[in-house]
Amino acid sequence: MAIDRRDYLRGMGAIGLTLAMPTPLWSQSNVIAGQARLDTLSDGNLVLPKSFILGEMSPPGADEILTRYGLAGDTLTPDCNVTLFRDGTRTVLFDAGAGADFMPTTGRLIEAFDTLGVDPFDVTDVVFTHAHPDHIWGLLDDFGDLSFPEADYHIGADEFAYWTDPNTVSTIGTERQSFAVGAANRLAEIADRIILFDDGAEVLPGIHSRATPGHTPGHMAFVVTVGREEIMVVGDAIGNHHIAFERPGWISGSDQDGTLGAKTRQMLLDQLAHDQMRFVGFHLPNGGLGRAEKRDEGFVFVGEDS
């Protein structure tokens, strides 16, 4: 009996889920309104030195904040939450995860699809917030083929221009040169089916773009209409649930333009807290869905599990 690639990948996802870890790999967050459904799927987690966010010299008070969140030591392990939106017509994935080549603790998205009962071949659209490895390297599977072969791909015009510019690899810094090479190679794989858009565009019905630069030059967030509610997919514009909320004006080493990233983060949190709009953060805990509340000189992330 012949086994096609779709059957093989679905089976490998189930085997990987069984062997890799005893707990489920889907995240707890979902919003359901009629035919519309938004889920967050876990792609695993990153393992990062604390200095990646705070720099080699932590700002005064940073360690105290991290301790209050139960984060001790020199390593952080942020979750990776990929958002899946279905409206009865389209199956839209926001970012593609890290794939197999970035970190051994990431690349679990296809297993999460299998657990949720969704076929990656049914994804109609992949919409990128930006082109860092944990968001775009999962575009290709272990065979070097597209993980979501039936999809159209959407990315902001400025982000696409930055990562496809041959000069980026020599100007991004040595520690991120592999980011540039990996992004350029993967974007080349979808050059014939990629759709570019600008700030404020209706990327797909019920999905509007919002320019949120700083983490990368062309980073985008997206406002997604789920039933009568609007939910924002913020990507890495808000990169963690502790320092980014309590001290949004601090420069983050994870942002390519730290000053612009801080300005964007403060603006977003002001709006989200004022409007009490729910949002999904790629690296926020427990699926990443929640709200921001103003508190003292900063904010606090109020997550929710469903």
Side-chain angles (χ1 to χ4, degrees):
M1 179 180 68
I3 300 177
D4 68 17
R5 180 169 165 269
R6 179 194 294 240
D7 292 333
Y8 178 80
L9 290 178
R10 185 187 296 124
M12 289 304 293
I15 293 170
L17 181 64
T18 301
L19 298 179
M21 57 178 63
T23 55
L25 284 173
W26 72 87
S27 295
Q28 296 95 331
S29 300
N30 61 66
V31 180
I32 302 172
Q35 284 191 307
R37 175 171 181 144
L38 182 148
D39 291 274
T40 61
L41 307 179
S42 175
D43 192 44
N45 66 273
L46 301 181
V47 179
L48 301 171
K50 186 172 63 175
S51 59
F52 185 74
I53 294 175
L54 299 175
E56 295 303 325
M57 296 293 291
S58 296
D63 288 335
E64 185 272 331
I65 292 173
L66 293 176
T67 298
R68 282 196 280 105
Y69 285 85
L71 302 171
D74 296 325
T75 302
L76 300 173
T77 57
D79 294 343
C80 296
N81 308 301
V82 179
T83 301
L84 181 72
F85 175 64
R86 290 169 283 173
D87 64 2
T89 301
R90 309 191 80 87
T91 297
V92 182
L93 191 66
F94 292 89
D95 295 325
D101 298 329
F102 186 48
M103 287 187 180
T105 54
T106 60
R108 317 309 292 269
L109 182 59
I110 298 302
E111 297 170 22
F113 262 83
D114 190 75
T115 304
L116 195 61
V118 178
D119 192 330
F121 284 77
D122 292 336
V123 173
T124 59
D125 301 89
V126 179
V127 181
F128 295 108
T129 61
H130 65 296
H132 275 168
D134 50 331
H135 296 256
I136 198 171
W137 283 19
L139 178 68
L140 301 178
D141 63 19
D142 293 347
F143 299 90
D145 297 324
L146 292 176
S147 298
F148 310 101
E150 303 300 322
D152 290 326
Y153 296 86
H154 310 256
I155 192 169
D158 289 345
E159 187 76 355
F160 181 82
Y162 176 75
W163 294 106
T164 56
D165 183 345
N167 293 319
T168 295
V169 70
S170 60
T171 58
I172 197 173
T174 55
E175 71 282 359
R176 284 188 165 107
Q177 283 182 337
S178 64
F179 291 16
V181 173
N185 289 343
R186 285 161 178 80
L187 290 170
E189 291 288 334
I190 54 174
D192 61 339
R193 62 169 80 184
I194 200 160
I195 300 167
L196 305 181
F197 57 86
D198 295 313
D199 181 27
E202 186 176 43
V203 179
L204 291 163
I207 299 173
H208 290 81
S209 64
R210 168 84 178 271
T212 48
H215 186 68
T216 62
H219 189 287
M220 288 281 184
F222 301 94
V223 177
V224 184
T225 301
V226 185
R228 296 183 178 181
E229 181 181 8
E230 290 185 336
I231 298 173
M232 189 180 292
V233 178
V234 302
D236 284 3
I238 305 172
N240 59 71
H241 65 293
H242 36 81
I243 300 292
F245 281 81
E246 294 209 16
R247 299 292 186 272
W250 283 3
I251 302 298
S252 172
S254 66
D255 293 336
Q256 291 184 216
D257 184 332
T259 301
L260 182 56
K263 180 179 178 181
T264 293
R265 187 163 49 250
Q266 182 74 56
M267 175 191 64
L268 267 182
L269 286 168
D270 282 336
Q271 177 200 340
L272 293 167
H274 179 271
D275 296 344
Q276 279 298 284
M277 177 185 282
R278 287 199 286 183
F279 59 93
V280 179
F282 193 87
H283 293 303
L284 302 184
N286 300 322
L289 178 69
R291 291 182 170 87
E293 289 186 0
K294 189 77 177 73
R295 187 166 300 177
D296 300 326
E297 58 186 297
F299 302 85
V300 64
F301 175 61
V302 182
E304 55 184 82
D305 300 332
S306 56

